[in-house]
Amino acid sequence: MKRPTADTVIDYIVEIFERRGAEAYLGDAVTMSEHMLQSAANAERTGAPAVEVAAALLHDVGHFAGEFPEDMIEAGADNRHDAVGARILQPFFPPGVTEPVRLHVAAKRYLCTVDASYFGRLSPASQETFRLQGGPMTPDEVARFESERHRGAAVRVRMWDDEGKSVDSEPRPLAHYVPLLRSLLVSPPAGRR
Ligand SMILES: [Fe+2]
């Protein structure tokens, strides 16, 4: 497996989503690519900054961890798709992108804890994983989440994520987001410095 570099990582990610995007998104009615594109479109529609659009687009990249070299994944205690996704993206994108990815499951638990009505708005599959992901937060976990610098963006990405499961939406194609992703690379590809 070839290791992505700053020069190749965008094409690397696009290729994975093109090859595997038709897979079902967990238990929901949308495919992986429909879900990620709808999440990004939801972010764009609100006028979100580029980092948050990118985070919405890439938040579930950790589900494709097997597509990346093992040393990028650093298998360890915390190998859930949120932490793994952030680790995959971290060499290439700024914290404004990677932190909401890392926190997007915590943000679901946070929203369900501080807003009793939020759980009812989740899809059935997301309600099911909520229990597996730890259910409601303890007061300590709430305090820790609220101390995160990128908590606001994480909550917004989470809401775009939860709204990104509609069967009759026609989001923009992945190619639309490539320039935005390129503009965010922390180490610009050779020739673009
Ligand atoms: Fe998602």
Side-chain angles (χ1 to χ4, degrees):
M1 192 180 296
K2 241 182 143 185
R3 156 180 290 280
T5 66
D7 286 315
T8 62
V9 68
I10 309 279
D11 292 339
Y12 195 98
I13 290 171
V14 166
E15 192 277 328
I16 293 168
F17 282 126
E18 283 178 343
R19 182 162 42 81
R20 298 194 52 188
E23 291 174 17
Y25 175 71
L26 307 175
D28 283 301
V30 290
T31 66
M32 284 297 297
S33 68
E34 283 167 342
H35 173 59
M36 57 183 273
L37 293 171
Q38 284 184 30
S39 301
N42 293 340
E44 261 190 317
R45 202 173 306 122
T46 68
V51 281
E52 294 183 19
V53 175
L57 183 74
L58 300 174
H59 74 274
D60 276 333
V61 73
H63 285 308
F64 296 120
E67 301 284 348
F68 293 85
E70 261 175 45
D71 60 323
M72 282 182 73
I73 310 305
E74 293 173 42
D78 191 4
N79 245 13
R80 300 169 319 180
H81 84 280
D82 46 355
V84 170
R87 283 205 290 272
I88 288 168
L89 299 173
Q90 186 273 328
F92 310 109
F93 293 98
V97 176
T98 61
E99 283 293 278
V101 173
R102 182 177 71 82
L103 293 168
H104 82 273
V105 172
K108 172 166 93 176
R109 295 184 59 216
Y110 176 76
L111 283 165
C112 288
T113 305
V114 301
D115 176 356
S117 71
Y118 199 83
F119 179 80
R121 304 208 290 272
L122 296 175
S123 70
S126 192
Q127 290 185 343
E128 184 59 35
T129 52
F130 173 66
R131 298 176 226 282
L132 301 171
Q133 287 157 344
M137 284 181 158
T138 64
D140 278 358
E141 288 173 320
V142 167
R144 201 176 320 139
F145 184 84
E146 288 179 341
S147 72
E148 292 283 355
R149 173 153 177 233
H150 295 274
R151 63 192 177 281
V155 162
R156 289 188 286 278
V157 167
R158 182 70 227 184
M159 291 171 146
W160 298 322
D161 173 3
D162 292 327
E163 291 160 7
K165 297 169 185 179
S166 136
V167 283
D168 55 356
S169 143
E170 284 189 30
R172 287 162 148 162
L174 183 53
H176 167 74
Y177 297 99
V178 167
L180 175 143
L181 293 177
R182 285 202 199 288
S183 76
L184 294 171
L185 287 170
V186 286
S187 155
R192 299 173 63 96
R193 282 169 222 263

